[in-house]
Amino acid sequence: MQGAWSAAQRRLHWAMAGLVFVNFLLALVMVALPLSALFAKILTYQLHKSLGLLLIPLWVWRLWLLARRGRPAPFMLPGWQQGAARWGQGLLYALLITVPVLGFLSAAAAPVAVETVFFLILPIPHPFPPNQALYDVLRPLHQGAAWGLVVLAMGHGAVAIHHHRRGLPVLQGMWRGP
Amino acid sequence: MLVKPNPLMIPRRALAGAVLPLLGLTPSPAHATRVFRFDHTQGRLEFIARHLLVLTSTGQFSRFACELTLDPERPETARVAVQVETASIAHAYPGAADLLRSPAYFDAERWPLARFSGSALKGGRIEAFDLAGPLEMRGVTQPFTLQAKLARRRRYAATGAEIVDCTARGEISRTAFGMTADMLATADRVQLAVSVSLVIG
């Protein structure tokens, strides 16, 4: 336990939150774009894949910081709320890595077989060739997990705002630090 | 995919001669031309497009017919004729095939067939030779060259037949055929690739 979140932990928290929401919106746009807007469609797909891949090292870094620097002591809350917070945050961490990994594996399995090139600069090799059956499983899993992540993150934010209104410095602690 | 040879042509003996050891085939002094006919049920005809300089996408034609006339001792006499149904274009990305059939690309309704007839250029070897000739697509005819390769012979496990894998590749400028859509997203140069296993014995 530590007194407060470190500056690096706070920055990473907001950076990842921003990336998740931007990438989620990007996913909705890229799927909706017609093929007649091919340039924009290809760009948004590659940007979506790149931002998703970026989440993986950030997640590792965040976990490393958590292990090294710990987290602030929990606020005085009823036991069930503390339990719910622990489970919710654990699930958020799990989804933060599951969603991009499933996304990358879906891209690899996709029958269309378009490469993944990180920000159109660095080619990332796919771990296996296109596979329709695997894609049919991975794609809905990725999509469902992404919706789960966004809904959970919004709930997480709503709870933080709720506590903030009740005078608990939850939001302030993650925004400005101690 | 296996291709049955034309029964009118000389069997086995045809793929013989001084150059055949390169393929591991039985040599014979006889000169013979052999005709191989194959279609979409036996071979594969693909096109590979590049996007934003770093990405590729591959589609195929699911209906085509090809006739390859080949004298293994005289690759410079090889000829090929290919006819493709443009509406048979297939692409794994949903909606892409419809876009490619549209007037912006192959305009399949107006130009239902694409044709290529090529003859070998001099100087080729049996394991790698060029086939050049006119390619007609979308009502436009342009010169086109296919680089053909014959691989070492092998035995097809299912039937025990001896086969030689044949691949041929060439590159077109799509704008030369009037396909000028999506130039920002898709490169002008598009590769065409044919692959088939020829039964030789």
Side-chain angles (χ1 to χ4, degrees):
Chain A
M1 297 283 181
Q2 62 176 8
W5 295 109
S6 70
Q9 284 174 305
R10 281 184 280 120
R11 285 192 200 111
L12 264 178
H13 171 272
W14 293 111
M16 289 185 77
L19 275 178
V20 165
F21 279 102
V22 166
N23 225 15
F24 183 75
L25 293 176
L26 209 52
L28 299 178
V29 170
M30 75 188 193
V31 171
L33 276 172
L35 270 176
S36 53
L38 191 59
F39 181 69
K41 199 168 181 77
I42 294 173
L43 268 187
T44 48
Y45 262 92
Q46 287 298 318
L47 188 57
H48 175 76
K49 292 203 265 187
S50 301
L51 293 180
L53 285 172
L54 192 59
L55 280 170
I56 297 173
L58 292 181
W59 181 87
V60 172
W61 187 11
R62 200 166 163 193
L63 240 64
W64 180 74
L65 283 176
L66 188 65
R68 193 160 169 247
R69 299 185 182 173
R71 53 184 304 141
F75 292 102
M76 294 301 289
L77 292 170
W80 72 269
Q81 286 189 23
Q82 288 194 22
R86 267 199 306 276
W87 274 100
Q89 284 165 17
L91 195 53
L92 270 174
Y93 273 102
L95 286 171
L96 275 171
I97 191 67
T98 306
V99 172
V101 168
L102 281 174
F104 179 60
L105 297 179
S106 325
V112 71
V114 172
E115 302 92 329
T116 299
V117 183
F118 193 63
F119 293 109
L120 294 177
I121 296 171
L122 182 69
I124 310 289
H126 288 166
F128 44 76
N131 180 324
Q132 180 74 56
L134 194 56
Y135 178 71
D136 290 344
V137 173
L138 289 173
R139 172 73 200 274
L141 277 178
H142 170 59
Q143 204 172 347
W147 275 99
L149 174 59
V150 167
V151 168
L152 197 61
M154 287 173 77
H156 173 74
V159 169
I161 291 169
H162 170 72
H163 287 315
H164 177 74
R165 284 185 168 173
R166 292 180 62 210
L168 283 177
V170 180
L171 202 55
Q172 190 184 327
M174 188 51 91
W175 186 250
R176 290 194 215 149
Chain B
M1 299 292 181
L2 294 179
V3 178
K4 289 180 182 164
N6 183 336
L8 296 175
M9 305 316 295
I10 300 167
R12 194 180 285 270
R13 189 164 59 98
L15 279 178
V19 290
L20 288 188
L22 291 170
L23 293 173
L25 305 178
T26 311
S28 156
H31 283 223
T33 299
R34 192 165 171 183
V35 178
F36 296 94
R37 292 192 179 95
F38 60 91
D39 61 17
H40 48 271
T41 61
Q42 298 144 326
R44 200 173 169 83
L45 173 56
E46 291 181 329
F47 59 90
I48 301 117
R50 288 192 70 73
H51 307 284
L52 308 185
L53 303 176
V54 288
L55 306 169
T56 55
S57 68
T58 303
Q60 59 177 296
F61 292 96
S62 51
R63 284 194 300 277
F64 67 93
C66 182
E67 184 177 284
L68 173 66
T69 307
L70 183 66
D71 176 349
E73 288 189 76
R74 294 182 299 154
E76 71 278 7
T77 63
R79 295 187 310 278
V80 70
V82 187
Q83 183 162 291
V84 182
E85 288 183 40
T86 53
S88 74
I89 204 158
H91 200 283
Y93 195 87
D98 288 337
L99 178 70
L100 291 167
R101 281 185 208 108
S102 75
Y105 285 90
F106 285 91
D107 199 358
E109 202 171 315
R110 191 169 172 211
W111 306 105
L113 293 175
R115 293 185 191 89
F116 171 63
S117 56
S119 304
L121 298 176
K122 291 201 187 304
R125 295 161 295 147
I126 187 62
E127 74 275 23
F129 54 96
D130 289 351
L131 293 157
L135 171 63
E136 185 197 334
M137 201 159 59
R138 268 182 127 251
V140 178
T141 303
Q142 291 282 334
F144 177 60
T145 303
L146 271 177
Q147 284 90 44
K149 282 184 183 171
L150 293 178
R152 185 171 285 272
R153 75 174 178 180
R154 61 188 173 88
R155 198 166 283 280
Y156 187 54
T159 61
E162 276 186 304
I163 56 175
V164 171
D165 292 320
C166 176
T167 58
R169 276 179 178 268
E171 206 174 66
I172 61 159
S173 154
R174 65 187 180 100
T175 52
F177 291 93
M179 296 188 228
T180 54
D182 301 313
M183 290 306 291
L184 262 180
T186 306
D188 179 37
R189 310 297 296 180
V190 176
Q191 270 200 23
L192 297 177
V194 190
S195 58
V196 67
S197 295
L198 305 173
V199 177
I200 58 165

